[in-house]
Amino acid sequence: MKQNIKNIALTVLCGSLLLSGCGSDDNDTVIIETGPVKTFNVDGDVAKVVNKHDVFTYPMMSVTGKMVTATTLVFTPKGNAPQGGWPIVVWAHGTTGAADKCAPSRLALASPEKQLIMGLVQKGYAVIAPDYEGLGNDNVPHPYLHLTSAANSILSAIHEARKFYGDELGREWSVIGWSQGGHAALAAAEYQKALLGYKFKGTVAIAPASYLAETLNYGMGVANQYAGSVQTLPVAKQIAGTLYGYAAIVSSGIKAANPTFNYNQAFLADKVDIAKNAELECSPQVAEKFRDDIDLFLSSSSNGGFSAYQALQPKFLLDADVRAYLSENLPAQNKITNKVYVYQGTGDTTVPAQITVDYLLPDLIAAVEKPDHLIFRAKPDATHQTIMTDYTSELVDTVDSLMKE
């Protein structure tokens, strides 16, 4: 899906100006009437280093062509903004879930995001952290891992925030994202030219989600290896529950973009109700429901063991809607003109290093304009969590170096 940059630019423009000529009318508008800014509660550590800590509400165009309400967190440093405004770093969050209560603006700021945002603010950057389309808006579903929705969520947040905050925010920006946010950061890099009048500096993608079908197959293979002994069976269930949970959230994303999609196109009939929890619960709870179901399955002595458990339709990857969504929303489909740093832990079972190296990196090599614009940093034995927690300072420094080039 090589979408024209002009189309994305029109989406940002429509979202910011509420133009009636952008294909939206009163029947297509899903706007929540709220004030544009509310204070986002932070703890004492954060309060010491930030000035503004806001939840900012604004309009944007959805993937279905409707005007919807969107939300973003905005953090600014202490003191007076420099001439030209605080340069902007976008923080693209990892998977929290598809339910509105999972929007970061509705949750407490916690590690490792807390340390990252504090580090960036202390370096002199305003941090804009969008919830993404549909999160934080009770009337709109979240199109999880939808490439242009993710890009538009980031570009619209920047454009609308600067319109509201004025010269306090600058026009130079970069983006850093983790997992789902790594996917979103790469999407923003592809479509950044749609944000007219700004200077894009580059991207840091941490364990970026990509090639979901291959990730699922690889991850389940790893889970089956761990299932071979009683001692490691809990690890197998942990991995499997996470992967099935992500498959459920992806299904909710397909439905958000294509309301005719049904969960039974991906999941077995007796697992559909579990998968539908993706619309109601956050990602840890969705994963836990699948782990509970695995435990129930294993409690039967005649079930054939862990490897016999099935939640997905045997040929779900051949379903036309699933296949189209997965292929159309792969990152690195358009030319990327600025530097891209990719951080990947070799011990990651959620976004396996093999998927990033074998599938995503070749696409990025083809997408970047210059060979030295792609910098891959593998971290030995780092997991999906420790790639963030153990390398926060390095990640902040990498963003800082991008912004200063």
Side-chain angles (χ1 to χ4, degrees), residues 133 277 283:
E133 176 185 337
N277 282 292
S283 54

Side-chain angles (χ1 to χ4, degrees), residues 204-259:
V204 179
I206 310 157
S210 70
Y211 286 92
L212 300 181
E214 290 79 4
T215 297
L216 180 63
N217 289 334
Y218 181 88
M220 289 308 301
V222 173
N224 282 321
Q225 291 175 13
Y226 279 109
S229 72
V230 174
Q231 290 78 13
T232 57
L233 180 59
V235 178
K237 291 189 290 186
Q238 182 74 20
I239 295 171
T242 297
L243 292 171
Y244 285 131
Y246 283 142
I249 300 171
V250 170
S251 295
S252 74
I254 300 173
K255 186 179 177 185
N258 177 13

Side-chain angles (χ1 to χ4, degrees), residues 132-213:
Y132 307 139
E133 176 185 337
L135 290 178
N137 181 341
D138 292 317
N139 297 317
V140 179
H142 170 48
Y144 180 69
L145 293 178
H146 189 289
L147 194 75
T148 54
S149 170
N152 192 40
S153 293
I154 289 172
L155 302 184
S156 295
I158 296 169
H159 184 70
E160 291 295 326
R162 193 175 188 283
K163 250 186 11 176
F164 181 81
Y165 290 93
D167 292 339
E168 190 172 357
L169 300 181
R171 292 185 177 273
E172 291 188 345
W173 70 283
S174 64
V175 58
I176 176 171
W178 173 36
S179 193
Q180 178 187 5
H183 176 275
L186 294 174
E190 291 183 49
Y191 294 114
Q192 54 86 17
K193 287 185 178 179
L195 194 59
L196 303 177
Y198 291 78
K199 186 175 182 180
F200 180 60
K201 305 290 283 188
T203 305
V204 179
I206 310 157
S210 70
Y211 286 92
L212 300 181

Side-chain angles (χ1 to χ4, degrees), residues 192-193 334-340 363-374:
Q192 54 86 17
K193 287 185 178 179
N334 296 280
K335 189 60 67 178
I336 298 176
T337 58
N338 297 75
K339 279 190 176 179
V340 176
D363 291 344
L364 285 170
I365 290 170
V368 294
E369 281 194 341
K370 298 179 181 179
D372 63 350
H373 277 184
L374 178 61

Side-chain angles (χ1 to χ4, degrees), residues 294-345:
I294 293 171
D295 282 335
L296 182 63
F297 177 81
L298 294 178
S299 67
S300 171
S301 60
S302 60
N303 58 35
F306 177 86
S307 63
Y309 178 85
Q310 296 292 326
L312 292 160
Q313 294 282 1
K315 296 183 178 180
F316 80 100
L317 291 174
L318 299 179
D319 179 86
D321 291 331
V322 173
R323 187 172 66 249
Y325 195 85
L326 296 185
S327 64
E328 290 175 1
N329 292 297
L330 288 172
Q333 296 187 55
N334 296 280
K335 189 60 67 178
I336 298 176
T337 58
N338 297 75
K339 279 190 176 179
V340 176
Y341 285 83
V342 176
Y343 279 77
Q344 177 67 55

Side-chain angles (χ1 to χ4, degrees), residues 30-155:
V30 189
I31 300 291
I32 298 174
E33 294 298 331
T34 61
V37 172
K38 295 181 179 179
T39 299
F40 177 69
N41 291 329
V42 296
D43 63 22
D45 293 336
V46 179
K48 288 178 182 177
V49 301
V50 304
N51 180 22
K52 287 185 168 63
H53 42 98
D54 296 340
V55 181
F56 173 57
T57 301
Y58 54 97
M60 69 170 280
M61 183 73 76
S62 75
V63 294
T64 60
K66 298 179 180 180
M67 292 307 306
V68 299
T69 295
T71 45
T72 187
L73 297 174
V74 178
F75 301 92
T76 59
K78 296 283 190 182
N80 296 321
Q83 186 175 3
W86 298 112
I88 295 169
V89 176
V90 175
W91 164 242
H93 67 81
T95 299
T96 56
D100 288 295
K101 66 182 181 181
C102 313
S105 67
R106 298 190 180 188
L107 304 172
L109 185 62
S111 298
E113 290 93 341
K114 173 184 166 182
Q115 277 68 36
L116 184 80
I117 290 171
M118 288 175 61
L120 291 169
V121 170
Q122 288 174 303
K123 291 282 189 181
Y125 300 110
V127 177
I128 292 177
D131 284 334
Y132 307 139
E133 176 185 337
L135 290 178
N137 181 341
D138 292 317
N139 297 317
V140 179
H142 170 48
Y144 180 69
L145 293 178
H146 189 289
L147 194 75
T148 54
S149 170
N152 192 40
S153 293
I154 289 172
L155 302 184

